[in-house]
Amino acid sequence: MSTWDITTIVEELKQARQDWRKSQHNFREFDGRELPSKNQVIQIAQNLCGILFPMRLGPNDLRQESEDFYIASTLEQTLYSLYEQVKLNLIYENKRTKNKDAIPEVDENAKRIVNRFANQLPQIRRILDADIIAAFEGDPAARSVDEVLLCYPGILAITYHRIAHELYRHGLSLLARLVSEAAHSKTGIDIHPGAQIGAGFFIDHGTGVVIGETTIIGERVRIYQAVTLGAKRFQVAEDGHLEKDYARHPIVEDDVVIYAGATILGRITIGKGSVIGGNVWLTHNVEANSHILQGDNQARYV
Amino acid sequence: MSTWDITTIVEELKQARQDWRKSQHNFREFDGRELPSKNQVIQIAQNLCGILFPMRLGPNDLRQESEDFYIASTLEQTLYSLYEQVKLNLIYENKRTKNKDAIPEVDENAKRIVNRFANQLPQIRRILDADIIAAFEGDPAARSVDEVLLCYPGILAITYHRIAHELYRHGLSLLARLVSEAAHSKTGIDIHPGAQIGAGFFIDHGTGVVIGETTIIGERVRIYQAVTLGAKRFQVAEDGHLEKDYARHPIVEDDVVIYAGATILGRITIGKGSVIGGNVWLTHNVEANSHILQGDNQARYV
Amino acid sequence: MSTWDITTIVEELKQARQDWRKSQHNFREFDGRELPSKNQVIQIAQNLCGILFPMRLGPNDLRQESEDFYIASTLEQTLYSLYEQVKLNLIYENKRTKNKDAIPEVDENAKRIVNRFANQLPQIRRILDADIIAAFEGDPAARSVDEVLLCYPGILAITYHRIAHELYRHGLSLLARLVSEAAHSKTGIDIHPGAQIGAGFFIDHGTGVVIGETTIIGERVRIYQAVTLGAKRFQVAEDGHLEKDYARHPIVEDDVVIYAGATILGRITIGKGSVIGGNVWLTHNVEANSHILQGDNQARYV
Amino acid sequence: MSTWDITTIVEELKQARQDWRKSQHNFREFDGRELPSKNQVIQIAQNLCGILFPMRLGPNDLRQESEDFYIASTLEQTLYSLYEQVKLNLIYENKRTKNKDAIPEVDENAKRIVNRFANQLPQIRRILDADIIAAFEGDPAARSVDEVLLCYPGILAITYHRIAHELYRHGLSLLARLVSEAAHSKTGIDIHPGAQIGAGFFIDHGTGVVIGETTIIGERVRIYQAVTLGAKRFQVAEDGHLEKDYARHPIVEDDVVIYAGATILGRITIGKGSVIGGNVWLTHNVEANSHILQGDNQARYV
Amino acid sequence: MSTWDITTIVEELKQARQDWRKSQHNFREFDGRELPSKNQVIQIAQNLCGILFPMRLGPNDLRQESEDFYIASTLEQTLYSLYEQVKLNLIYENKRTKNKDAIPEVDENAKRIVNRFANQLPQIRRILDADIIAAFEGDPAARSVDEVLLCYPGILAITYHRIAHELYRHGLSLLARLVSEAAHSKTGIDIHPGAQIGAGFFIDHGTGVVIGETTIIGERVRIYQAVTLGAKRFQVAEDGHLEKDYARHPIVEDDVVIYAGATILGRITIGKGSVIGGNVWLTHNVEANSHILQGDNQARYV
Amino acid sequence: MSTWDITTIVEELKQARQDWRKSQHNFREFDGRELPSKNQVIQIAQNLCGILFPMRLGPNDLRQESEDFYIASTLEQTLYSLYEQVKLNLIYENKRTKNKDAIPEVDENAKRIVNRFANQLPQIRRILDADIIAAFEGDPAARSVDEVLLCYPGILAITYHRIAHELYRHGLSLLARLVSEAAHSKTGIDIHPGAQIGAGFFIDHGTGVVIGETTIIGERVRIYQAVTLGAKRFQVAEDGHLEKDYARHPIVEDDVVIYAGATILGRITIGKGSVIGGNVWLTHNVEANSHILQGDNQARYV
């Protein structure tokens, strides 16, 4: 007999699961995994990094003359793997929203989505190239574009974000979120996959940055660690639940710089070319080319 | 002969270790590993996640009909592995505190502790279910409870914390700390295993959150990134060392919300239902249902 | 035929890469990997941790009586691996700066650098011992020095930093950065490898800490989470690009304490023994033994 | 460009594959893997060994008190994995024999087969116990039954055979063959899965043993290395191809012993209790209790 | 101190190595591995199997529509890896034979050899297809060509042999031998890489088959387990050592069948279409279409 | 509910195990693994190969200048691992033979045995060097001693045997057998660990060789594939069981050559310098310098 009372604990855990499932009206009748796999999705994101930057983020023993073979082979395999995860996401969405689509339709949708996603990859690469240049030019400590690509957490975060955002745009919010949380865990930078971000974007240091779902960011914007682009307050619907899916985060126009620790809340607009100082707390619109500093709060001696 | 002067370096490193050990009055006389293994402990925590949420955090190929078999088998193996780590922790504690308990007693204690720990698992699952519901209801960006469980770092942090806290309650501070630091590294959320936290707890985004050892948090509390629940100052004992083990962190009552960046220090009480605004700096008690905002520190134009 | 249009995507990605390479005037003519390997560098850093603290961070089954054998064998292998990465870094630097050194010279330089690096290891161990003592004595929650070494992210960060700084001192900025970003990803603590940091240094909690490239920190300094030691503004050279490599971060003298969230910017000096309060924003020199608190910004009720 | 002419070679390999497929009238129109996976099947066989002898062939860290949990969990997972391979085998068979069964029927058949297979496992264990006893009692070098189970290649071969034979009996010749070849590769003992073998069977040393598809072996039979139980000649059908599926190998009755190197060919019967000497060449029936020695072929001096 | 006297044993082992090296006049002065890597070579052989039969011996998750991508990518990588091993083999040969070729020449030679090897692959595939057909048609137990390719050790052996023979033809005897011994270990079939073997070759069961270095085998030959095609006696050179590299094994012409256990020794010729019976011992030429049986050695009763 | 009736099968398997254990009077009352681990033992044997021939069988990236460091570190770890397996073997033996030795004595014995074993390693290396030379000089196909060490299965078999025999000499028959069966599986050469074999021993090809427990082989002996050195018949004790542990296999004196397929049975002596021809069947003593050929059994035409 076991030292521990395994049987009782197993039984009680089962009871807990059943209570939960009942409370969720979720009787899960079909066989197999109905949810995308976190590990699979992370593997897909890593493969895509290798596909986008084969000699920097691809396998160590890759040589330049075989880049295209590597990309073709990895791309085929990765898109097929993505296609399976997309199907799982679509089935899950159908189930969650009580939509009873037949599997065949799911299949076709998944293929169409993966196709569109795949066709965006070259464009994503070009935008990321602009992001890398922005980082190199915006940080005096950066020695080379290669150092930026290999070492800067902000570049990792924006790469994952641009992948996640494509998935989000096709309604695959679960897959998108898995990708963005993988980047959050590695970098401390939390960008919701819904955020729209222009080219030449650079986050320096990055730990603690939060960018909300409906944020819109223009081109050549630069932000520092611990910046929040958040919602001011949540709207509550008539049934007492929070309203979802309405614009509640800032619009940041082209060429804005936001220094460390600044908090910008609500659907406000930061005008083109503005500079927001460190630790600033901002909840109203800002005209183009403004320079905003923290209020009168100088340190004092005791 | 080696290119590097290995022998000299090995010798000097040995000298450094000996000096350290002498300075620690720590002559380590017994054979074997006297410390728990970080990797083993992390593996135990991951297994427990799979046991608590088999279809979401268990192995990818698990099917619902074999949940109980999987749980029983993994639980038996995991508890045995935990039992071995608990023994190492107890032996280490005995040694550190010069307590010369015989190994047999350690054995018995370890078994009793693991038994109690195991029996708490169903209850932990039920509390985590409440945490998940709280996250889903508290975040307009959350699409489903499954997304919350799979993607939200706050859920990962509180799951690990509830495991770590059980270990801490049984005096296994080293094991507990290893678990909580594993979560800290993945999420940027630093909850000391000593903190007592009620059900329905939700941390959004989470990077930079710090919750101290003697913090007490009620039910249905919600906090955001970069919130600190810390100590105000440390008491120094007569021998010049810091005092340890006294209540020095806040009490947060039921239904409190604390927005991003707020700093709450010392053994103060935040009354039930209060809302603490972003970036607030707070070192005194707050009555129930208070709304606290940051002082007069609005951003200003230059 | 494939479901996706692999061939077209591969072609477009190739075009994107070619455009990038052209824009970088970087025709990469030689065979093989011209960049250090991130994975290799991380492995080297982990091995060095095991070499420095064999019974705590070395392999689980190591026994004390074989410490020296383990160290000698791992050190030899690790230094050789480092030597290969150093060569890659030197070649890359030569290429980046259009220096056409012959490979033989690179070889000799790499050997000399690795030798010097290796000889520093015992000294690094002794300084880290002082860091561990500082952490144990500076945190009331710390139960033992072993807990500090095994669990404290601040100790991991400073260990990696002391390794990275040695590499940086020898001009290996890419290797150094790879090491420091590995620590940043695990701990949320971002210390530029250029920073000079004295013994007995302790970072508690640590998430969000940023320490800039030209920072100088004395002995026995203690800092908390979300502290920034940053640059105030960047100097722009005549050609419109940022100037690099000039002193732009603070000097923090011996025995200073800096509480959570403080922001200290520019080439200013914080005098010996000073205490900087939480959330303080500081851009000017501070005399020795000063106590600086946040300005008049108490929280207010609404 | 690649050093090797990859494109041409790929093209020629494709041409070779197309020629082959055309010659096989095998246009493989459906998606996915149409064949069982060798690795999966080998994994299944290894799992079954652990299920049959948990404390000897199961995981190293298994403890006796958790045998049943381990078996239940592994069995569930293994049977499901087997079920998937059985489906692949059935689909392949349907395709190979132009049978156009719908997938649903395949599903049902696979479930029924796996069920029957699973129910045989306890009986297989009991027969293997008799085999182990036979080995222990038949070899003066055997020190214990545990040594026999852990070390004797003959026991490994007969264990795999008893599994393979069950699969063969259900028409899964491909799966059966994959299992038997795994044993052949490890032991040099080649038992066709079709052979019927009674309890208490022992092969000593075993390298070079060949036992044909239609062989029938009674109880308590013992054979040595390099024994062949083969077909004498093949029947050719009217269309010029070999006839398949007719009885062409020996019947060996109970309690027979066959010494090393003996060759026994054709559908002959070796009577109960007979002893066949080393190197004997035998193509005719043998009465019960016969002792057969090699002909007059003594070694001679030169 | 260690329980065992490590230092002394290490010292004595070193002395043993030095004595050996001295006795071999082998002062190994250059850095790095001077020998090909067994593991690398085995990996190369397995990759080549996948390249030759992608849907049968390639990765489990390969789909037919991506065969060519997989082949191109794997081929590129495998040829490069082979190229590195070829260089090591050439350097080793130069060293062994005191040939002091400069490395650059080795480089060029290696490239040329790998190129020729690669160009042979489509032809090797076509010959293997004939081997598979021969196995299917020659064994009444074979259910399908797929079973033959997946399960028959004789097919594995001939596949590895055809690869090894190509390497042998280019003077890479060490690489060739590593490949052939990998097959020997898996199948018990020992074919020296020097043997010349025509298409449509089939070995059934195979354990114990030995085919010597200078053997020549025609087309459509079939042999069974334990057949030896060996040398009769060795020629001793004037210096007392064995002569190497002269024709000393049999020539087996087209359409010959050799049954199990037959031993055929010396540079004799087995004429076209002959059948050699089981256990036959043969040391002289045999005319075309002969049927040879074992001498008068029938089993006898005791 | 599961598709298969797991619970019933688990129950029946348990019943089968209980019946077996009852029949074995084997009530296994103590906790933990009471048997050595096959995988551990195989790992130990592989490590010892690396220790004996570091640059040929050690890790691929080992460089000559760090041989001694590698050996010291691996030896320490391997001897400790061996020590744990030796203890398990001793405990098992005590239990099997009803010897109730206290664990402390087992500990001491294990240490003494491992010490003696370790001290034999340099001598084993020197004998193996002689074996390698014998192989190189005895096979016209051998190109170099390195090819012999890397590729010849006979060398692998004798290396494992010399390790296994040392274990056997210390009464560790289970460990010894695990080592010898590992070699048997890889090479098809089955040498009982009890066999005593002199230096300069060479087995060519080797598949099917069987060498029995009490065989004694002199120096410079050469044998070929499928040679059996076996027992003639078994002695039955008064209780009806086979007698164990008496001399029953041949004595082969120095400089004997035995060609492929020869069968030599019983406690006979093959005199110094004799040559035994292929397929010879031998059951009587042979004088020194004899040449024995197969009897009058020439192949005949039909």
Side-chain angles (χ1 to χ4, degrees), chain B residues 107-118:
Chain B
D107 232 67
E108 230 170 274
N109 284 345
K111 264 184 193 146
R112 197 175 52 244
I113 289 173
V114 172
N115 239 321
R116 285 186 191 157
F117 175 86

Side-chain angles (χ1 to χ4, degrees), chain E residues 21-34:
Chain E
R21 282 167 189 165
K22 209 170 298 171
S23 80
Q24 298 296 312
H25 306 289
N26 190 350
F27 293 95
R28 283 157 220 290
E29 287 134 357
F30 54 86
D31 195 37
R33 298 293 287 181
E34 70 267 43

Side-chain angles (χ1 to χ4, degrees), chain C residues 76 91 106 114 119 232:
Chain C
E76 234 287 336
I91 291 168
V106 159
V114 172
N119 291 332
K232 189 154 184 199

